Amino acid sequence: MKIRWGVIGAGGIAVNRTIPGMLASGSSTVAAVMRTDERKLAEVQARFPMAQGYVSVSEMLRDSGNLDAVYIASPVKFHLEHALACAAAGKPMLIEKPIGMNLGELEAIREACENAGVFFDGALMMRYHALHRKMRDAVRAGVIGDVVSIRMSFCFRYPEMAGAWRQRKEIGGGGVFMDLGPHCLDLVQFVSGRKIKRVAAFMDTMTFTYEVEDSASVLAELEGGGHALLSMHFNIPEDVAETRFDVYGTEGALLAGGTLGQEERGTLRLKRTGTVAAEEIQYEAGNLYAKEIDGFAELMNNRCRWSEAMDGQQELQRTLDAVYEAASLQETNGEG
């Protein structure tokens, strides 16, 4: 039987990516969608007529007997409120990144989930990219030796837009790093198999006039050795800056171009020391969001992994907070 999903915050990412992923997956369907704007809700229902529509979370959860899980894609400011309501209704959750505005919010969500006997996981679909999994497998197998350096660049243009909540600190919690940082931090740890030990960071609003950062640079030290340098920008057009995710080891390198994003595409080359030509790694592209939904379905059926999943999200949020703290210290030192 397929998982019946309820969607809180049926906006752009939900409508254009995650709900189609649910329907493309082998495990799920969408049963309910919630959006506060009645006109926009009607547009969502016209696109997904199998879903019952609601204008409030409480209204949707009153009918939660028809739901097996909830996907939370509301602005970050509301994640805590919505997740606590879902936990009280006994529903496991897939929550858009970041889970909360800070670690304290995530810990409150986790406590509520554990008390209710449910769990949550974060929406980090890029870890399901076939090439990122091939990178992880190659690192585990020692193909490039010991990992010593990871370099990641993730950029696109996101100018001022009326009503864009990610450009308001009160609602989104931050800018480019709050949006792209969770993916980058997760992939560094997912591929390397190492946790992040400590961080340094610079953040600025260089180009636009909104109140959150449009540029972020992060240097991370990994447990067991190795450094990661992450560059994220909302002010560099994607057509002039291909995303990069390169992992260098003592015996070779894994060089991924164009793999960071919402579609399973890009290239991966394996370069071994002492060789002239790099090996192009082949893969079969699919739907990242369908893979993410199927991954959550597997997790739902494997209760012994629930704590592990929440541990991972808690560690990610802790690192996210640490990066913002490090950037704040740099600003203070610069002003002093």
Side-chain angles (χ1 to χ4, degrees):
M1 184 174 178
K2 290 191 173 184
I3 296 170
R4 300 166 298 175
W5 284 89
V7 176
I8 295 175
I13 189 66
V15 169
N16 296 320
R17 297 293 182 179
T18 309
I19 296 176
M22 292 173 182
L23 300 178
S25 75
S27 63
S28 299
T29 188
V30 59
V33 290
M34 173 267 160
R35 188 156 186 174
T36 56
D37 186 307
E38 291 186 357
R39 180 182 61 81
K40 292 181 178 179
L41 175 62
E43 293 174 356
V44 174
Q45 286 187 275
R47 184 168 173 182
F48 305 106
M50 74 290 292
Q52 181 69 36
Y54 300 91
V55 294
S56 73
V57 173
S58 59
E59 184 184 8
M60 188 182 86
L61 292 178
R62 276 199 298 269
D63 292 341
S64 64
N66 298 321
L67 303 178
D68 303 306
V70 177
Y71 167 58
I72 299 177
S74 49
V76 185
K77 177 181 179 179
F78 304 108
H79 283 187
L80 175 62
E81 173 190 344
H82 294 162
L84 294 181
C86 290
K91 303 302 175 184
M93 292 157 269
L94 178 65
I95 307 176
E96 268 300 331
K97 47 74 192 168
I99 301 297
M101 297 284 272
N102 52 56
L103 181 61
E105 289 195 355
L106 183 146
E107 290 174 339
I109 293 170
R110 179 167 189 171
E111 181 179 7
C113 285
E114 290 176 339
N115 289 340
V118 295
F119 77 100
F120 70 88
D121 200 9
L124 296 164
M125 79 292 177
M126 293 185 204
R127 60 163 46 201
Y128 290 93
H129 196 304
L131 291 182
H132 296 158
R133 300 211 158 209
K134 288 179 181 288
M135 293 171 76
R136 179 195 60 177
D137 293 344
V139 168
R140 285 181 174 178
V143 172
I144 62 170
D146 292 331
V147 171
V148 293
S149 179
I150 298 175
R151 302 174 193 173
M152 188 177 290
S153 177
F154 197 176
C155 311
F156 59 87
R157 186 172 176 82
Y158 187 42
E160 296 93 340
M161 297 180 186
W165 60 262
R166 287 183 179 85
Q167 297 174 0
R168 296 179 57 190
K169 189 170 184 178
E170 177 189 3
I171 300 177
V176 66
F177 185 70
M178 203 71 156
D179 188 30
L180 306 184
H183 287 300
C184 294
L185 296 174
D186 179 62
L187 286 174
V188 165
Q189 296 177 113
F190 179 74
V191 169
S192 71
R194 301 174 186 175
K195 293 182 179 180
I196 292 173
K197 182 178 180 181
R198 59 176 178 165
V199 296
F202 290 96
M203 296 185 190
D204 287 292
T205 308
M206 298 182 181
T207 304
F208 302 118
T209 58
Y210 42 68
E211 60 194 45
V212 295
E213 77 279 357
D214 61 20
S215 306
S217 298
V218 179
L219 177 63
E221 180 184 8
L222 307 181
E223 291 184 357
H227 295 165
L229 179 60
L230 316 177
S231 176
M232 290 147 282
H233 288 268
F234 274 165
N235 50 7
I236 300 178
E238 53 266 43
D239 59 351
V240 301
E242 179 187 54
T243 71
R244 298 297 315 175
F245 182 17
D246 301 329
V247 181
Y248 295 88
T250 54
E251 300 293 332
L254 293 159
L255 309 172
T259 61
L260 304 178
Q262 296 176 331
E263 297 180 4
E264 193 167 24
R265 60 185 180 186
T267 61
L268 174 62
R269 294 181 300 127
L270 168 62
K271 185 72 167 67
R272 302 174 191 263
T273 184
T275 63
V276 176
E279 175 188 351
E280 186 89 14
I281 305 300
Q282 302 300 313
Y283 71 105
E284 184 175 341
N287 184 316
L288 291 177
Y289 293 86
K291 291 182 178 183
E292 176 182 60
I293 292 298
D294 285 340
F296 187 90
E298 291 179 11
L299 189 58
M300 278 185 67
N301 293 322
N302 193 351
R303 192 184 183 99
C304 65
R305 290 183 52 217
W306 290 4
S307 289
E308 177 188 347
M310 291 188 288
D311 285 346
Q313 295 304 317
Q314 192 163 338
E315 185 65 28
L316 186 62
Q317 185 80 53
R318 182 179 291 109
T319 305
L320 195 73
D321 287 8
V323 170
Y324 273 107
E325 177 65 21
S328 176
L329 290 174
Q330 293 292 349
E331 290 177 6
T332 302
N333 291 338
E335 291 172 358

